[in-house]
Amino acid sequence: MDEMKVLLAGQEIEVGGEKLTIKPLSWADTLRAVTPLGKIVKFITDNGAALDAATGGLGQLAEASKEVGEDAQQGRSGLLGGTLAAIMSVEGIEEVVSALLEIGVLATKKDAAFIESLPLDDAITVGRVVFEVNRDFFIRTLAKIKTKKKAKDAK
């Protein structure tokens, strides 16, 4: 199946004991997603140095995720837990968590309680698939936000 068919059909995943089909956001949902996405981008641009310091630039996590095997899995879990703890210590992260939850609800058509109850691995899977299926929308929106910020900073 080519990439266009995947985007149009969405992607089916199983999380929290349920099968979900993540489809591209509807026109109305894209309008609803702009505000939470803007909050996430603002947080990242405002706190980039703090996030890099807290996570080692995420380089360690990326390397650990390439490893295979039970020992690597345990190491990755510990590193992921430490990375998440460091990220959660950055001021303002609660607003980002809320924005991610809002986007998850829009994309899955499930209520917030369902998304919040997911184990971490399932929540990450939902986030990854939501991004993959809606990649063009997210990239276009991020580019617009970044361009507006550069223009504002230039003044």
Side-chain angles (χ1 to χ4, degrees), residues 79-95:
L79 182 59
L80 180 60
T83 301
L84 288 174
I87 290 170
M88 293 305 289
S89 71
V90 176
E91 189 175 328
I93 191 67
E94 299 82 14
E95 192 169 349

Side-chain angles (χ1 to χ4, degrees), residues 17 51 74 145:
L51 290 169
Q74 288 175 345
I145 292 170

Side-chain angles (χ1 to χ4, degrees), residues 55-128:
T55 64
L58 294 179
Q60 262 189 314
L61 185 61
E63 281 303 310
S65 69
K66 293 178 186 174
E67 298 175 14
V68 181
E70 190 173 316
D71 290 339
Q73 184 69 19
Q74 288 175 345
R76 183 171 54 210
S77 294
L79 182 59
L80 180 60
T83 301
L84 288 174
I87 290 170
M88 293 305 289
S89 71
V90 176
E91 189 175 328
I93 191 67
E94 299 82 14
E95 192 169 349
V96 172
V97 171
S98 177
L100 289 169
L101 179 61
E102 193 173 338
I103 291 171
V105 167
L106 288 170
T108 63
K109 306 299 185 216
K110 301 297 281 184
D111 62 21
F114 175 81
I115 304 293
E116 289 177 321
S117 72
L118 291 174
L120 180 59
D121 287 348
D122 284 355
I124 290 170
T125 297
V126 169
R128 178 185 53 78

Side-chain angles (χ1 to χ4, degrees), residues 2 4 6 8 12 17 19 39 44 51 58 61 71 73-74 76 79 83 89 111-112 124 131 137 142 152 155:
D2 69 19
M4 184 56 92
V6 170
L8 293 175
E12 190 172 276
K19 284 187 178 181
K39 290 177 184 178
I44 291 169
L51 290 169
L58 294 179
L61 185 61
D71 290 339
Q73 184 69 19
Q74 288 175 345
R76 183 171 54 210
L79 182 59
T83 301
S89 71
D111 62 21
I124 290 170
F131 177 78
F137 164 70
L142 292 172
K152 183 180 177 184
K155 289 182 180 182

